[in-house]
Amino acid sequence: MQYWLMKSEPDEVSIDDVMASPRQTTAWFGVRNYQARNFMRDQMQVGDGVLFYHSSCPEPGIAGLAEIVSTPYPDASQFDSKSKYYDAKATQEQPRWISIDVQGTQKTRLLSLAELRTIPALEDMVVLQKGSRLSITPVTPAQWKTIIKLLK
């Protein structure tokens, strides 16, 4: 089992939106970074744990827990010319972008970015590194355990 931090802008999809959706599940779409896409395509597996992170908001941080509940599949938004995620180079035969389904398991207290920065056990966490902007990053088992303890 692996662990991931997945960022979402809460005005696009928040943990509340996921928890209110059917089966508390949503398609993770709109990823347009090759490294993040490759994590989804090549490494994520059903059952992997997810730290659901609110980004680009007044107080960014971990807002909930989730898990991966599907294998990767083509992101439909890449084919929709009206979508802000449209990619003219993507084809049905050769899609460029991936979606994966994520199921919310728990809305938590907000574990803010500022608080995360104060925890020595998390100092190597990718999201805390200067210049880190990836929307999906791996989380080590030790980091996962530390965060779960903080959320209890």
Side-chain angles (χ1 to χ4, degrees):
M1 180 169 180
Q2 296 184 87
Y3 303 100
W4 306 93
L5 182 138
M6 298 177 76
K7 293 180 181 178
S8 180
E9 296 176 14
D11 60 349
E12 176 119 6
V13 178
S14 71
I15 189 67
D16 290 323
D17 296 331
V18 174
M19 298 307 285
S21 64
R23 296 184 359 258
Q24 294 81 42
T25 301
T26 191
W28 206 270
F29 66 94
V31 173
R32 295 298 182 267
N33 172 283
Y34 287 108
Q35 187 174 2
R37 183 225 34 209
N38 293 348
F39 286 144
M40 293 170 69
R41 185 189 65 196
D42 302 334
Q43 295 184 37
M44 285 185 172
Q45 297 180 24
V46 172
D48 282 357
V50 173
L51 300 173
F52 195 106
Y53 186 97
H54 284 173
S55 66
S56 300
C57 58
E59 190 171 16
I62 297 166
L65 302 175
E67 73 176 70
I68 303 301
V69 294
S70 78
T71 56
Y73 55 91
D75 178 345
S77 67
Q78 69 191 308
F79 308 121
D80 180 357
S81 61
K82 294 179 181 75
S83 170
K84 67 180 181 179
Y85 300 113
Y86 176 66
D87 185 336
K89 294 181 181 177
T91 66
Q92 294 286 345
E93 297 75 29
Q94 295 208 320
R96 294 169 55 138
W97 306 108
I98 299 297
S99 285
I100 204 158
D101 292 344
V102 174
Q103 182 177 52
T105 57
Q106 180 183 354
K107 179 180 177 178
T108 64
R109 74 173 180 87
L110 184 73
L111 184 54
S112 71
L113 177 60
E115 185 178 351
L116 289 169
R117 290 191 187 285
T118 68
I119 303 162
L122 301 178
E123 67 184 3
D124 292 332
M125 205 169 172
V126 175
V127 73
L128 301 180
Q129 302 310 304
K130 191 172 189 148
S132 174
R133 300 197 34 85
L134 277 179
S135 62
I136 297 171
T137 56
V139 174
T140 68
Q143 293 164 348
W144 176 267
K145 287 177 190 166
T146 297
I147 290 169
I148 296 302
K149 285 180 187 172
L150 290 167
L151 293 174
K152 290 192 180 209

